């Protein structure tokens, strides 16, 4: 038991190290919704991490989301709308929070591509079984009777650039175990299918991902998902209309700010400068709106958004003063968050960002892998940097125009 705990601790630290090695790899931060504009498209919900995260691309149009939409349309000859929910930082334990109150009934097919990060972090099989069963139960109860559900297995661990030798062997054994659990659970549901697959080879010189790689991935998934969509449509002669709606913003300027392709140079630069200034492992500037945290500038490989309920920043926006947590693994508010298991970011220091009316709408924060004392950072300094971020956000909010429909379509 002690040996397994030590192995898992080492595996989690290795995964975290790999994430920070990949900080310079582009990831999409635009809308994860692909809309055809057709009157009666096939509607697909993609839930996942790993290849669904879009490593090596800057837009979901070129990542798996957009590539899969086109691959399915080529096979079915029908337009396909896809909404992607997930992130590299989403473990199986966090899927319910990522889904939030998403309505599942409108979708003809749900494709789940999960758990590589659970395999290489050696997530215990019993914990995995509990969380996967919860997800499958929800999909079974909330999707319409005609909907098909495809659960993809975990691909070979050595398809990841940094996983060779002992790390790959340990991860592969866990992946095989978790796949066996998933296969057995999926077999309990009508209309569900387990997909065993092999990762396509990476494009030379682009080991983390590329549009060409996601085009190959989309073919792998479309081979199974296209027939499933045909079956779903045959079973649902009385289809109803439904738009793939995005997040309904409470602070409307936030929507305009997040719609900017490539983000905002001044805020990206500010986050990088803050990381260096505070000697931090990560820094981000985020907008907190409804049940989501949106990363408007981020030095980590996280994507566009994450559930607010899993974020330390939810506590920052609830107050008026800076929040400093010396060790998130021991603080009562944060110690049980599944995000701890992935990012391994123990030290947190954040300050709220306010809108024109003085309401808290976001956060500026810096984070470290190792715990630090409260006195290691100046609250005044933290507040000053948050004020700089706030000033830039308010300036952008006042000058950024609402994107036109054409502009929006071009960026999703």
């Amino acid at each position: 038991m002690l040996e397994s705990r030590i192995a898992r601790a080492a595996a989690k630290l290795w995964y975290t190290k790999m994430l920070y090695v990949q900080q310079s790899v582009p990831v999409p931060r635009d809308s994860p919704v692909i809309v055809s504009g057709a009157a009666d498209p096939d509607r697909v919900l993609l839930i996942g991490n790993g290849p669904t995260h879009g490593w090596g691309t800057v837009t979901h149009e070129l990542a798996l989301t957009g590539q899969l939409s086109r691959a399915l349309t080529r096979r079915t000859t029908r337009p396909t709308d896809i909404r992607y929910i997930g992130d590299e930082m989403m473990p199986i334990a966090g899927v319910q929070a990522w889904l939030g109150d998403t309505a599942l009934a409108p979708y003809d097919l749900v494709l789940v591509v999960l758990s590589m990060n659970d395999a290489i972090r050696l997530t215990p099989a019993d914990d995995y079984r509990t969380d996967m069963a919860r997800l499958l139960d929800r999909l079974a109860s909330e999707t319409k009777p005609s909907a098909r559900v495809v659960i993809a297995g975990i691909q070979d661990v050595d398809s990841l650039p940094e996983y060779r030798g002992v790390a790959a062997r340990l991860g592969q054994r866990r992946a095989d175990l978790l796949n066996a659990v998933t296969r057995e659970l999926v077999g309990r549901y009508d209309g569900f299918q387990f997909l065993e697959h092999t990762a396509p080879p990476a494009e030379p010189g682009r080991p983390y991902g590329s549009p060409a790689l996601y085009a190959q991935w989309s073919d792998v998934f479309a081979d199974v998902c296209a027939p499933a969509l045909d079956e779903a449509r045959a079973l649902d002669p009385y289809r109803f209309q439904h738009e793939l709606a995005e997040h309904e913003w409470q602070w409307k300027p936030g929507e305009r700010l997040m719609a900017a392709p490539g983000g905002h140079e001044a805020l990206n630069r500010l986050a990088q400068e803050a990381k260096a200034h505070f000697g931090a492992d990560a820094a981000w500037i985020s907008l907190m709106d409804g049940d989501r945290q949106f990363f408007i500038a981020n030095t980590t490989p996280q994507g566009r958004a994450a559930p607010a309920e899993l974020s330390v920043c939810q506590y920052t926006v609830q107050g008026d003063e800076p929040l400093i947590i010396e060790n998130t693994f021991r603080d009562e508010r944060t110690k049980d968050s599944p995000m701890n298991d992935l990012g391994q970011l123990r030290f947190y220091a954040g300050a709220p960002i306010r809108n024109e009316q003085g309401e808290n709408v976001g956060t500026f924060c810096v984070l470290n892998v190792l715990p630090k004392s409260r006195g290691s950072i100046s609250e005044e300094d933290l507040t000053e940097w948050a004020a700089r971020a706030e000033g830039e956000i308010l300036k952008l909010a006042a000058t950024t125009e609402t994107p036109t429909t054409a502009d929006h379509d071009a960026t999703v």
Side-chain angles (χ1 to χ4, degrees), residues 168-188:
R169 289 195 295 273
L170 287 174
Q172 189 59 53
R173 283 203 293 268
R174 189 54 50 99
D176 293 342
L177 177 58
L178 300 186
N179 278 339
V181 170
T182 305
R183 191 182 299 107
E184 183 255 315
L185 290 174
V186 168
R188 301 177 182 181

Side-chain angles (χ1 to χ4, degrees), residues 345-363:
L345 292 165
R346 288 167 168 79
F347 177 78
Y348 172 92
I353 290 172
R354 300 170 179 85
N355 64 12
E356 307 91 327
Q357 289 74 42
E359 303 165 328
N360 290 349
V361 294
T363 63

Side-chain angles (χ1 to χ4, degrees), residues 131-371:
D131 291 321
M132 180 57 77
R134 285 182 61 209
L135 173 60
L136 298 183
D137 282 345
R138 180 171 179 184
L139 295 177
S141 63
E142 296 184 20
T143 54
K144 57 187 176 181
S146 62
R148 307 292 91 176
V149 176
V150 176
I151 310 295
I154 306 167
Q155 73 265 27
D156 291 342
V157 171
D158 63 8
S159 64
L160 302 180
E162 278 83 13
Y163 281 83
R164 301 290 184 270
V166 174
R169 289 195 295 273
L170 287 174
Q172 189 59 53
R173 283 203 293 268
R174 189 54 50 99
D176 293 342
L177 177 58
L178 300 186
N179 278 339
V181 170
T182 305
R183 191 182 299 107
E184 183 255 315
L185 290 174
V186 168
R188 301 177 182 181
Y189 299 88
D190 292 333
F192 284 49
Q193 180 176 354
F194 180 80
L195 169 61
E196 299 194 44
H197 60 94
T198 301
E203 183 179 348
R206 303 186 67 174
Y208 297 105
S210 65
L213 177 63
Y214 298 122
Q216 294 181 69
W217 269 114
S218 69
D219 287 334
V220 170
F221 295 132
D223 284 344
V224 171
C225 292
L229 281 170
D230 289 339
E231 184 179 357
R233 186 167 282 258
L235 291 169
D236 187 14
Y238 304 106
R239 296 170 59 78
F240 59 92
Q241 300 300 314
H242 179 81
E243 296 294 331
L244 291 190
E246 294 193 66
H247 175 78
E248 288 290 335
W249 284 82
Q250 297 173 4
W251 187 52
K252 294 303 181 183
E255 181 176 13
R256 301 199 304 272
L257 294 175
M258 289 302 299
H264 301 279
E265 182 179 352
L267 289 171
N268 291 334
R269 184 170 60 250
L270 185 62
Q272 292 291 346
E273 291 173 355
K275 179 183 171 184
H277 175 81
F278 288 99
D281 294 314
W284 63 59
I285 301 165
S286 69
L287 299 176
M288 304 290 287
D289 196 277
D291 66 349
R292 287 290 182 267
Q293 177 178 23
F294 292 88
F295 299 103
I296 194 167
N298 193 349
T299 66
T300 76
Q302 266 184 293
R304 175 184 173 87
E309 69 176 85
L310 300 184
S311 171
V312 186
C313 290
Q314 65 174 306
Y315 303 107
T316 302
V317 296
Q318 293 170 9
D320 294 322
E321 303 296 329
L323 173 65
I324 297 175
I325 298 179
E326 296 179 337
N327 190 342
T328 60
F329 283 49
R330 295 183 178 178
D331 190 278
E332 288 298 321
R333 293 164 293 187
T334 58
K335 66 180 184 179
D336 295 324
S337 172
M339 297 302 289
N340 285 344
D341 234 14
L342 282 95
Q344 298 286 310
L345 292 165
R346 288 167 168 79
F347 177 78
Y348 172 92
I353 290 172
R354 300 170 179 85
N355 64 12
E356 307 91 327
Q357 289 74 42
E359 303 165 328
N360 290 349
V361 294
T363 63
F364 164 87
C365 66
V366 292
L367 307 97
N368 279 81
V369 171
L370 296 177

